[in-house]
Amino acid sequence: MKKFILIVLVLLTYARLQAEKPTIAATASMFSDMAKNIVGDKMNIELIVPVGGDPHLYKPTPKDAKLVADADLILQNGLTFEGWLSELIENSGTKALVVTITEGITPIKSLTYDSPDPHAWMNVEHGLKYIENIKNGVVQLDPDNKAFYEKNHEQYRQEVINLDNYIKEQVNTIPADKRILVTSHDAFQYYGKQYGIQLESVLGVSTDAEAQTDDIINLIKIIQKSKVPAIFAETTINPKQMQQIARDNNIVIGGTLYADSIGETGSEGDSYIKMLKANTDKIVAGLTGKLSPENTEEVIDTNNDFHWSSILIGLALLGAMLFMFRKLK
Ligand SMILES: [Zn+2]
């Protein structure tokens, strides 16, 4: 009994400590991951758009309204990324400190719309600005632990600088005339500009517009002219259209790139650093022609499913026929 009471007491204390910690609400998973690297376990970090979700098209839930209302610090990208957030903040009546983590970054203009391109985290140099802004917000909220946050920030900053160098080195291994990235939406302008890759996309900067026929025709011309060996799909967007374009042009899908979300826990892209590393590795393998149709994921996967199910149905039918045959005998 004494043991039981002790366990209950420990649990209650733990719950109280958790509740006393300040809460950060981040709009997208790249930003909650960055924050985690800086605050460690000194703050609770909550995510608004779940991993794999599309922040451009997100519809906030009543749970999000409560989360925002209770938060102490809200991290937003801004630059039209979270069009739904200001209303959510206003309606919640939150007292949270709202930090726009792209502050100090000069945005690129969207290729398609008369607005800034929000995907600045794709340039790792901008990523350094993101984590600095997050660190400053966190210190403003909890100045007592300033030294702790600064130490974590410095350590993380080194890792992010290493990532920037890694991407530069890797992209350099792609033949100059093949440094063309064909993907489904304009999430890679910053990446392309920073690392010297020409960008072509089927959709515009957001994901809510249907791809125009003219755009697709134009894209196919680019694929044929540049003879790129691969084009790419994205995790937050339905890959069907890219698969169709790849099939029609007899090239491969070089993989699914992370754009507006990190990957599920345990996947190759489950952090900001890992998502950009995974993207780079796929882009380099695809554009250096190291992929053959046999070892690319999407296009083949659906075919494999088809083959296996046909074989299973075939076996089942054969079994049923043999059974019937024996019965008749
Ligand atoms: Zn996007």
Side-chain angles (χ1 to χ4, degrees):
M1 190 63 190
K2 260 187 191 163
K3 219 175 178 181
F4 176 74
I5 292 169
L6 192 71
I7 290 171
V8 169
L9 276 175
V10 167
L11 284 176
L12 281 175
T13 319
Y14 178 73
R16 242 192 66 205
L17 282 175
Q18 285 294 108
E20 275 170 7
K21 281 184 191 175
T23 296
I24 300 177
T27 53
S29 51
M30 300 73 78
F31 318 143
S32 63
D33 173 63
M34 290 171 175
K36 206 169 289 166
N37 279 282
I38 294 164
V39 305
D41 59 0
K42 291 229 184 292
M43 295 189 186
N44 300 314
I45 301 172
E46 301 281 353
L47 185 54
I48 301 178
V49 180
V51 168
D54 181 350
H56 296 285
L57 302 176
Y58 188 67
K59 292 200 174 63
T61 63
K63 211 178 129 236
D64 296 326
K66 186 170 178 338
L67 171 61
V68 165
D70 296 342
D72 301 287
L73 172 63
I74 297 170
L75 301 177
Q76 67 160 346
N77 185 76
L79 309 177
T80 72
F81 189 48
E82 312 98 333
W84 40 268
L85 185 67
S86 51
E87 198 185 321
L88 184 66
I89 288 175
E90 214 164 284
N91 292 344
S92 74
T94 185
K95 302 250 179 336
L97 170 69
V98 181
V99 173
T100 304
I101 53 182
T102 51
E103 210 170 292
I105 292 169
T106 310
I108 295 176
K109 218 178 129 326
S110 155
L111 288 175
T112 330
Y113 298 96
D114 191 22
S115 58
D117 180 334
H119 307 90
W121 63 87
M122 291 290 191
N123 171 345
V124 178
E125 249 173 49
H126 291 337
L128 292 172
K129 195 80 207 165
Y130 275 72
I131 66 169
E132 190 191 332
N133 287 331
I134 294 172
K135 187 256 295 166
N136 290 343
V138 164
V139 168
Q140 196 180 330
L141 185 68
D142 180 20
D144 291 351
N145 287 308
K146 188 176 176 205
F148 175 81
Y149 301 130
E150 278 181 342
K151 189 174 146 267
N152 285 352
H153 169 258
E154 184 47 39
Q155 208 165 14
Y156 186 44
R157 203 176 73 90
Q158 285 307 324
E159 288 174 38
V160 175
I161 290 172
N162 291 346
L163 171 69
D164 193 44
N165 292 333
Y166 176 82
I167 300 175
K168 284 175 184 158
E169 278 166 28
Q170 289 301 307
V171 170
N172 264 331
T173 65
I174 306 170
D177 63 335
K178 294 288 180 287
R179 289 180 199 164
I180 299 172
L181 181 61
V182 180
T183 180
S184 43
H185 94 291
D186 257 357
F188 293 86
Q189 253 208 109
Y190 287 92
Y191 184 91
K193 275 227 162 97
Q194 169 76 350
Y195 304 107
I197 298 180
Q198 185 190 326
L199 186 79
E200 302 293 342
S201 75
V202 184
L203 295 179
V205 76
S206 186
T207 45
D208 55 0
E210 285 284 316
Q212 301 290 310
T213 321
D214 284 357
D215 291 343
I216 294 176
I217 292 170
N218 191 27
L219 197 65
I220 291 170
K221 273 190 199 150
I222 290 163
I223 292 171
Q224 288 169 349
K225 195 166 159 246
S226 65
K227 298 191 174 65
V228 282
I231 60 174
F232 299 86
E234 284 165 45
T235 54
T236 43
I237 294 169
N238 187 333
K240 265 198 188 132
Q241 199 162 42
M242 299 310 282
Q243 291 180 351
Q244 191 58 49
I245 293 173
R247 247 179 254 131
D248 293 350
N249 290 279
N250 209 16
I251 55 177
V252 300
I253 297 274
T256 306
L257 302 179
Y258 298 97
D260 295 339
S261 169
I262 64 171
E264 296 285 348
T265 310
S267 71
E268 55 176 355
D270 65 0
S271 73
Y272 170 64
I273 287 179
K274 282 165 82 183
M275 89 183 237
L276 281 170
K277 187 178 177 298
N279 282 354
T280 302
D281 291 346
K282 285 177 192 178
I283 290 168
V284 170
L287 296 184
T288 49
K290 286 192 184 116
L291 297 175
S292 61
E294 288 73 35
N295 60 21
T296 53
E297 333 157 10
E298 289 86 2
V299 182
I300 303 305
D301 268 353
T302 42
N303 289 343
N304 276 352
D305 286 344
F306 174 70
H307 286 315
W308 278 111
S309 58
S310 321
I311 289 168
L312 282 176
I313 291 168
L315 282 174
L317 278 173
L318 192 68
M321 276 166 72
L322 282 173
F323 182 72
M324 296 269 283
F325 188 63
R326 282 180 63 179
K327 277 258 168 171
L328 282 172
K329 264 173 84 178

